[in-house]
Amino acid sequence: MKIRISKESLMKAIQIVSRAVPGKTTMSILQCIMINASGTEICLVANDMALGIQTVAQGIILERGMIAVDAQIFSNIIRKLPDNDVSIADESKSL
């Protein structure tokens, strides 16, 4: 997956879906935000088993795919970046 998105658009989307990320859980996947760029839009999704939130962010999909990232760590990293476009790439290869 490779996407390019403005920091402002990405931060708005992260703030929206982060409302569904639980503070503490025994299931680590629930502390993640899923970024889905497998269609024509960049969707961010979070779920706490009782509440799920999905939003669409405006950006450019360079390569389709999806990835789950830790919500707190991801938010902290993006917040500290300069106010420019952000490029996100999942370079892992399936075996």
Side-chain angles (χ1 to χ4, degrees):
M1 176 188 85
K2 290 182 184 179
I3 61 172
R4 188 176 314 126
I5 185 170
S6 73
K7 177 187 173 184
E8 179 183 356
S9 180
L10 183 56
M11 279 306 301
K12 284 181 184 177
I14 291 170
Q15 289 171 350
I16 290 169
V17 299
S18 288
R19 295 178 186 139
V21 176
K24 294 187 180 193
T25 180
T26 57
M27 297 176 63
S28 60
I29 192 65
L30 296 180
Q31 294 177 321
C32 292
I33 294 173
M34 183 179 71
I35 303 171
N36 184 347
S38 60
T40 59
E41 301 175 319
I42 301 171
C43 294
L44 281 76
V45 180
N47 189 326
D48 73 355
M49 301 281 285
L51 171 70
I53 299 177
Q54 174 178 326
T55 191
V56 175
Q58 298 300 314
I60 300 169
I61 299 172
L62 302 170
E63 186 177 303
R64 298 187 193 307
M66 66 175 62
I67 188 169
V69 294
D70 183 280
Q72 186 65 42
I73 294 170
F74 187 57
S75 177
N76 288 340
I77 290 170
I78 300 301
R79 188 177 296 115
K80 292 178 182 180
L81 292 174
D83 292 334
N84 296 323
D85 283 353
V86 176
S87 294
I88 299 172
D90 174 17
E91 300 294 335
S92 64
K93 303 293 181 196
S94 300
L95 298 176

